[in-house]
């Protein structure tokens, strides 16, 4: 074993001294670690022919920071760190784990990738149509590269942005992504970092924005080496349902905040991500004067990127500008819309569905306001929920009738369309395409995919058993399973078949019933582009009214008056005089019967324009 030399250049001369992880440059590789509470950090390199070399990192310039430069370092080097003489472990700030989460980390040269799009610019958030997907189950190959083969399909569908479920390194070879443990390392099972760059690049070639789902509220339970480096990474006593919160306001929290903000810049600068969907932001504990997520939004906006929150509070804080104490996010998911639409068809009342009844009045309210709950008491939360937010522009609310949670957290992983009449599903699908808010689709919903989307993991056997038992308890407690007999139908998360069953079957789009539903989505989104152009309609351009049979959105667009009627009661109603049908969900070409009776969405243009 030989020893590499430590850089003699003072690290404080480098403005990037606080940036953690490996830094490749002309003079080798500089390694930076934050290991507060420890005395020594030694890098172990796997050289060619199995030779091991070490490099002792130097403390400073602030407590907990260690750094050192390997002058022989280059891209492709494999390494681990030994903390206080302990067993070498992977780099918590690793950029790639070619052998999985327990293997050595690899030095990546981000400049080697030759970007094909030379004049790329990040698009605005206003006007986006989002498509959420899980890379591992989107294609038979389940990789970054295999997804590229389906991007033309997505462009032709009419979506404008692809939202990738989390891709950070986690245990095993399969999972949803929310158990990531290395925030800077793309998941090895999907391919290399350059493979992910190629996917983002291919999105941009087709005019598609790339949105990355990022988790700042916890790390996964297996392969999480953060505590080997410092116990100060997490805020003890501030746990959430999935794990420990990062230390954002406690003792020695400044380096943790810096690391997370570095992570935002990393994905933007090295992978050209256009925006982020931040997971469960209501569980990110930070009572600091300026919330970490507000700082993250500022960094993103400085680079032209956008920020979207999943936040169940219906709070103005997420959308308000910084000067009003808000985070200044560009958008937020409105699960209220999903719940109202689903319950209108299924009449479910278990768990959070108890908040809604699925009535026409609730539809009118959520369509007018963006949220249903704007301060009234929620029976589920047993407390007031939400604030009035109807002064915010419509593009700032993301509406959907399906997403990964709403399928994957059901006992059978069944999708919305699996449990309702196809006529009803067509009506809600076309309506979604023509709402004034930002519509989001979940992969496969546009053709009525038969594959479920199940919850799957690839943890160690012992942990896998605990996860499965935890899911069973949750299903019983939430009444998604009423008894042990129903619970027995749950697919075990650890079984490989659970993962494989969740993969989309692309052959289905050639089958008549699936192809016709797909045509409806394509035509619906085509009409969205024709009517609204590249932006969402402003609040001044539309109104929502209750009708005897359902709800109608009246659009007053430049040179056009268009109304989108959702007929929920299946009663025949008279066609307004001087109206022209633009599209209807029950047209024969979409497998409907052209009847004026039955549940449907009908889009009319009124003449003359007044």
């Amino acid at each position: 074993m030989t020893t590499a030399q430590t850089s003699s250049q003072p690290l404080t001369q480098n403005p990037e001294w606080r940036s953690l992880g490996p830094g490749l440059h002309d003079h080798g590789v500089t390694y930076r670690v934050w290991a507060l509470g420890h005395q020594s950090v030694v890098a172990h390199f796997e050289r060619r022919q199995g030779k091991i070399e070490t490099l002792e990192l130097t403390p400073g310039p602030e407590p907990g920071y260690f750094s050192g430069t390997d002058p022989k370092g280059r891209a492709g080097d494999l390494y681990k760190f030994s903390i206080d003489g302990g067993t070498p472990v992977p780099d918590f700030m690793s950029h790639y784990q070619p052998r999985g989460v327990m293997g050595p980390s690899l030095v990546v040269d981000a400049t080697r990738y030759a970007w094909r799009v030379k004049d790329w610019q990040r698009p605005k958030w206003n006007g986006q149509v989002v498509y959420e997907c899980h890379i591992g189950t989107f294609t038979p190959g389940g990789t970054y590269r295999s997804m590229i083969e389906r991007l033309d399909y997505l462009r032709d569908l009419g979506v404008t942005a692809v939202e990738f479920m989390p891709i950070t390194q986690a245990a095993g070879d399969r999972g949803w992504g929310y158990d990531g443990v290395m925030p800077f390392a793309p998941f090895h099972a999907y391919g290399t970092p350059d493979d992910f760059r190629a996917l983002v690049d291919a999105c941009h070639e087709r005019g598609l924005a790339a949105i990355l789902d990022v988790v700042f509220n916890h790390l996964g339970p297996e392969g999480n080496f953060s505590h080997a480096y410092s116990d100060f990474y997490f805020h003890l006593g501030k746990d959430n349902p999935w794990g420990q919160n990062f230390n954002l306001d406690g003792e020695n929290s400044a380096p943790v905040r810096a690391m997370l903000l570095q992570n935002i810049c990393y994905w933007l600068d090295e992978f050209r991500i256009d925006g982020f969907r931040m997971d469960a932001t209501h569980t990110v504990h930070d009572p600091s004067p300026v919330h970490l997520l507000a700082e993250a939004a500022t960094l993103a906006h400085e680079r032209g990127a956008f920020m979207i929150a999943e936040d169940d509070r219906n709070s103005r804080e997420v959308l308000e500008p910084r000067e009003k104490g808000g985070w200044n996010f560009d958008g937020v998911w409105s699960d209220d819309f999903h719940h109202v639409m689903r319950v209108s068809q299924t009449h479910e009342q278990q768990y959070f569905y108890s908040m809604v009844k699925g009535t026409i009045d609730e539809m009118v309210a959520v369509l007018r306001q963006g949220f249903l709950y704007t301060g009234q008491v929620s029976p589920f939360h047993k407390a007031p929920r939400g604030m009035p937010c109807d002064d915010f522009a419509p593009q700032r609310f993301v509406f959907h009738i399906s997403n990964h949670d709403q399928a994957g957290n059901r006992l059978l992983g069944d999708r919305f369309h699996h449990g309702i009449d196809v006529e009803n599903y067509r009506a809600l699908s076309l309506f979604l395409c023509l709402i004034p808010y930002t519509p989001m689709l979940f992969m496969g919903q546009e053709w009525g995919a038969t594959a479920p989307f199940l919850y799957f993991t690839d943890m160690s056997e012992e942990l896998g058993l605990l996860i499965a038992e935890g899911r069973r308890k949750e299903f019983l407690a939430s009444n998604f399973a009423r008894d042990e007999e129903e619970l027995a139908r749950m697919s075990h998360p650890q079984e490989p078949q659970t993962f494989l069953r969740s993969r989309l079957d692309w052959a289905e789009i050639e089958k008549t019933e699936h192809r016709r539903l797909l045509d409806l989505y394509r035509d619906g989104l085509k009409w969205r582009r024709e009517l609204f152009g590249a932006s969402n309609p402003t609040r001044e351009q539309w109104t929502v009214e209750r009708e005897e049979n359902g709800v109608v959105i009246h659009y007053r667009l430049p040179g056009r008056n268009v109304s989108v009627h959702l007929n929920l009661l299946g009663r025949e109603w008279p066609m307004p005089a001087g109206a022209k049908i633009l599209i209807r969900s029950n047209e024969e070409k979409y497998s409907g019967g052209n009847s004026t009776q039955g549940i449907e969405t009908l889009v009319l243009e009124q003449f003359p324009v007044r």
Side-chain angles (χ1 to χ4, degrees), residues 216-218 233-251 282-287:
F216 273 12
N217 50 55
H218 76 290
Y233 269 114
F234 291 91
H235 201 316
L236 299 180
K238 300 296 182 182
D239 296 355
N240 59 55
W242 306 288
Q244 290 181 305
N245 256 299
F246 281 105
N247 175 18
L248 303 181
D249 68 312
E251 184 182 6
H282 54 280
T283 65
V284 178
H285 175 82
D286 184 14

Side-chain angles (χ1 to χ4, degrees), residues 416-476:
F416 186 25
H417 58 268
H418 291 167
I420 67 173
D421 291 340
V422 65
E423 178 184 66
N424 302 28
Y425 184 67
R426 284 198 307 267
L428 298 184
S429 294
L430 180 56
F431 192 74
L432 175 70
C433 292
L434 293 168
I435 55 172
Y437 300 96
T438 299
M440 183 180 77
L441 281 59
F442 179 57
M443 62 176 199
Q445 79 172 65
E446 71 276 14
W447 79 73
T450 58
F453 189 72
L454 299 159
Y455 181 72
F456 44 84
T457 58
D458 189 18
M459 304 289 183
S460 62
E461 182 177 358
E462 181 179 359
L463 183 55
L465 290 173
L466 292 174
I467 290 172
E469 182 58 27
R471 296 282 288 182
R472 292 188 185 97
K473 290 179 179 178
E474 288 176 3
F475 282 135
L476 286 173

Side-chain angles (χ1 to χ4, degrees), residues 308-550:
I308 311 303
E310 179 204 22
D311 196 299
D312 79 350
R313 297 172 300 166
N314 294 6
S315 171
R316 295 184 64 89
E317 178 186 27
V318 177
L319 300 177
E320 289 278 28
R322 284 279 295 270
E323 56 267 26
K324 292 187 176 181
W327 301 352
N328 199 27
F329 270 44
D330 300 272
V332 61
W333 280 20
S334 175
D335 280 350
D336 286 7
F337 177 77
H338 166 271
H339 298 343
V340 170
M341 302 311 264
R342 174 183 278 276
V343 173
S344 77
Q345 302 302 307
T346 66
H347 310 294
E348 294 170 284
Q349 286 294 283
Q350 67 270 45
Y351 206 49
F352 44 68
Y353 294 140
S354 64
M355 288 189 291
V356 303
K357 300 300 181 184
T359 65
I360 294 174
D361 287 339
E362 286 180 340
M363 289 184 189
V364 171
V366 74
L367 285 165
R368 286 176 176 170
Q369 300 170 163
F371 295 132
L372 175 63
Y373 276 87
T374 58
Q376 60 270 51
V377 174
S378 159
F380 175 69
H381 297 88
K382 295 181 173 57
R385 175 175 179 254
M387 303 175 182
C389 291
D390 56 351
D391 54 317
F392 290 110
Q395 66 266 18
R396 304 189 76 179
F397 300 86
V398 180
F399 276 28
H400 56 86
I401 58 174
S402 181
N403 67 29
H404 72 273
D405 273 328
Q406 303 304 336
N409 284 326
R410 296 177 67 84
L411 182 68
L412 304 179
D414 48 306
R415 296 163 174 265
F416 186 25
H417 58 268
H418 291 167
I420 67 173
D421 291 340
V422 65
E423 178 184 66
N424 302 28
Y425 184 67
R426 284 198 307 267
L428 298 184
S429 294
L430 180 56
F431 192 74
L432 175 70
C433 292
L434 293 168
I435 55 172
Y437 300 96
T438 299
M440 183 180 77
L441 281 59
F442 179 57
M443 62 176 199
Q445 79 172 65
E446 71 276 14
W447 79 73
T450 58
F453 189 72
L454 299 159
Y455 181 72
F456 44 84
T457 58
D458 189 18
M459 304 289 183
S460 62
E461 182 177 358
E462 181 179 359
L463 183 55
L465 290 173
L466 292 174
I467 290 172
E469 182 58 27
R471 296 282 288 182
R472 292 188 185 97
K473 290 179 179 178
E474 288 176 3
F475 282 135
L476 286 173
S478 62
N479 284 327
F480 277 110
R482 290 171 294 185
D483 51 40
E484 291 292 336
E485 183 177 353
E486 280 194 354
L487 198 59
R489 302 172 65 196
M490 185 188 89
S491 297
H492 198 293
Q494 289 282 99
E495 289 291 336
Q497 195 62 28
T498 303
F499 166 70
L500 295 174
R501 286 180 57 211
S502 300
R503 276 193 170 156
L504 296 178
D505 178 4
W506 285 88
E508 288 181 339
I509 63 175
E510 303 301 327
K511 298 177 180 178
T512 301
E513 65 274 22
H514 295 288
R515 187 184 69 250
R516 288 183 174 181
L517 180 58
L518 176 58
D519 287 342
L520 176 66
Y521 270 92
R522 285 173 172 163
D523 290 348
L525 292 176
K526 182 179 179 181
W527 274 111
R528 182 181 185 86
R529 292 191 301 276
E530 179 169 329
L531 295 173
F532 305 156
S535 300
N536 293 65
T538 65
R539 284 197 177 271
E540 293 72 28
Q541 291 179 311
W542 52 274
T543 58
V544 177
E545 294 180 10
R546 191 192 199 284
E547 293 188 311
E548 181 181 357
N549 290 353

Side-chain angles (χ1 to χ4, degrees), residues 42-77:
V42 177
H44 293 244
F45 307 115
E46 286 189 25
R47 301 298 194 195
R48 280 64 181 171
Q49 291 82 46
K51 188 177 181 181
I52 302 296
E53 294 185 0
T54 62
L55 166 67
E56 185 169 358
L57 306 191
T58 300
E62 286 188 358
Y65 285 93
F66 295 81
S67 67
T69 296
D70 174 16
K72 296 190 292 184
R74 56 182 179 174
D77 282 357

